[in-house]
Amino acid sequence: MKIELTPIGIIHSPFRNPAGSPIQPSGAKGVKGSIEIFEEYRAGLRDLEGFSHIYLLYHFHPSTGYNLSVVPFMDTRPRGLFATRAPKRPNPIGLSIVRLDKVEDGRLYIQNVDVLDGTPLLDIKPFAPQFDAQQEVRAGWLEQITSNVAEAKSDERFK
Amino acid sequence: MKIELTPIGIIHSPFRNPAGSPIQPSGAKGVKGSIEIFEEYRAGLRDLEGFSHIYLLYHFHPSTGYNLSVVPFMDTRPRGLFATRAPKRPNPIGLSIVRLDKVEDGRLYIQNVDVLDGTPLLDIKPFAPQFDAQQEVRAGWLEQITSNVAEAKSDERFK
């Protein structure tokens, strides 16, 4: 069984290269970008501006292949792929929560952008605390990591 | 440009029909389910058990077609599709945060399951507060909704 997807827009950001990019939106605070939504989907943007934060689902487009064991950016030990956010995955779909500043003429103006310029957008979902906030969270290997995600940068390892 | 995806597993839940199912994991507190990960991907599950919560990305498999304007389950007014979590979307990818109880023999035992039995799983990502918690959130039309998401149930509207 195969599932076929088509981009609904293109994400623009200051990042042209994986190396040196922030590894998560929390490492890209204040980084501005925009999303061009293709004309045929723009009617679906109504009411979106009321949300301060949105999920972006996108295609990790430079990614090909994957390893089920990876050394994450903030770690020195190999971890199971699904316990990481590494971009090379069996289904290379990225997930980021960004701040939404404005919607104008089919363009979304966003902040905290951690994705590469030219990334194909697949879906937008509103972020809502009543759905998405969680209590009593344990964050596995990430809890033992002392390096600061706000300062961690991508390198060439998932190229 | 087309993107092709392949399921990495199958989600099992008590919900055989869209009508009557919870509309979000927050409406499915304590509902237990499991996920069978296909053999070839199981090595990627290492270290996952350390996380109490995980994102599931899955295919809204009964969904065909979409409308860019929908009346959400908890509302009476039409809203732009991308300002909702409605299942019929240009790219019908679902996103749920569930509680992870245990990983055993390639099977994930989960709670707060709001998806239909037999749903094809596309990806798993660890939920980590340092990436995913957000401050100063505005939740648009959802903030005006008085009905309780914990009690709201799906109906036939997106069948």
Side-chain angles (χ1 to χ4, degrees):
Chain A
M1 184 183 139
K2 296 270 176 196
I3 300 152
E4 252 191 26
L5 305 178
T6 316
I8 61 165
I10 299 291
I11 306 174
H12 298 286
S13 85
F15 307 114
R16 302 272 140 84
N17 270 299
S21 300
I23 62 162
Q24 283 289 322
S26 42
K29 280 266 185 294
V31 173
K32 293 190 180 186
S34 68
I35 308 175
E36 178 198 348
I37 303 295
F38 299 144
E39 187 115 28
E40 63 194 288
Y41 302 109
R42 289 184 187 172
L45 297 176
R46 195 155 47 94
D47 302 300
L48 192 63
E49 220 176 27
F51 292 84
S52 59
H53 293 75
I54 54 177
Y55 285 107
L56 304 180
L57 271 66
Y58 51 88
H59 183 212
F60 279 126
H61 62 302
S63 291
T64 50
Y66 61 91
N67 279 305
L68 291 173
S69 181
V70 298
V71 178
F73 288 127
M74 296 188 297
D75 203 1
T76 53
R77 290 170 51 185
R79 305 290 179 180
L81 175 63
F82 298 118
T84 78
R85 301 277 189 106
K88 299 178 93 164
R89 317 179 73 83
N91 294 303
I93 306 175
L95 176 69
S96 291
I97 305 169
V98 297
R99 230 194 125 78
L100 178 63
D101 285 336
K102 192 170 65 167
V103 181
E104 202 174 86
D105 296 332
R107 193 173 277 264
L108 275 56
Y109 294 84
I110 55 177
Q111 281 194 49
N112 312 345
V113 185
D114 68 332
V115 303
L116 287 181
D117 189 49
T119 293
L121 180 70
L122 301 175
D123 200 7
I124 302 167
K125 298 182 196 289
F127 179 90
Q130 55 266 63
F131 298 158
D132 301 312
Q134 303 297 326
Q135 262 89 52
E136 298 175 52
V137 175
R138 273 183 304 113
W141 64 267
L142 273 165
E143 292 190 349
Q144 298 148 34
I145 300 303
T146 51
S147 69
N148 188 343
V149 62
E151 280 153 30
K153 292 279 180 275
S154 182
D155 55 29
E156 310 257 315
R157 77 181 76 178
F158 297 122
K159 214 175 164 181
Chain B
M1 184 185 139
K2 296 271 178 196
I3 300 153
E4 251 191 27
L5 305 179
T6 316
I8 61 166
I10 298 291
I11 307 175
H12 299 286
S13 84
F15 307 113
R16 303 273 139 84
N17 270 298
S21 300
I23 62 160
Q24 282 290 323
S26 43
K29 279 268 185 291
V31 173
K32 292 190 179 187
S34 67
I35 309 175
E36 179 198 347
I37 303 295
F38 299 144
E39 187 114 27
E40 63 196 286
Y41 302 109
R42 289 184 186 171
L45 298 175
R46 196 155 48 94
D47 302 300
L48 192 62
E49 219 177 27
F51 291 85
S52 60
H53 293 75
I54 54 177
Y55 285 107
L56 305 180
L57 271 68
Y58 50 88
H59 184 212
F60 279 126
H61 61 302
S63 293
T64 50
Y66 62 90
N67 279 304
L68 291 173
S69 181
V70 298
V71 179
F73 288 128
M74 296 187 297
D75 203 0
T76 52
R77 289 170 51 185
R79 304 290 179 182
L81 176 63
F82 298 119
T84 79
R85 300 276 188 107
K88 298 178 95 164
R89 314 179 76 82
N91 293 303
I93 306 176
L95 177 69
S96 291
I97 304 170
V98 297
R99 229 193 126 78
L100 178 64
D101 285 335
K102 192 170 65 168
V103 181
E104 201 174 85
D105 297 332
R107 192 172 278 265
L108 275 55
Y109 294 85
I110 55 177
Q111 281 194 50
N112 311 345
V113 185
D114 67 333
V115 303
L116 287 180
D117 189 49
T119 293
L121 180 71
L122 300 175
D123 201 5
I124 302 167
K125 297 183 196 289
F127 178 90
Q130 55 267 63
F131 300 157
D132 302 312
Q134 302 297 326
Q135 263 89 52
E136 298 174 52
V137 175
R138 274 181 304 110
W141 64 267
L142 272 165
E143 290 189 349
Q144 298 148 34
I145 300 303
T146 50
S147 70
N148 188 343
V149 62
E151 280 153 30
K153 293 277 179 276
S154 182
D155 55 29
E156 310 257 317
R157 78 181 74 179
F158 297 122
K159 214 176 163 179

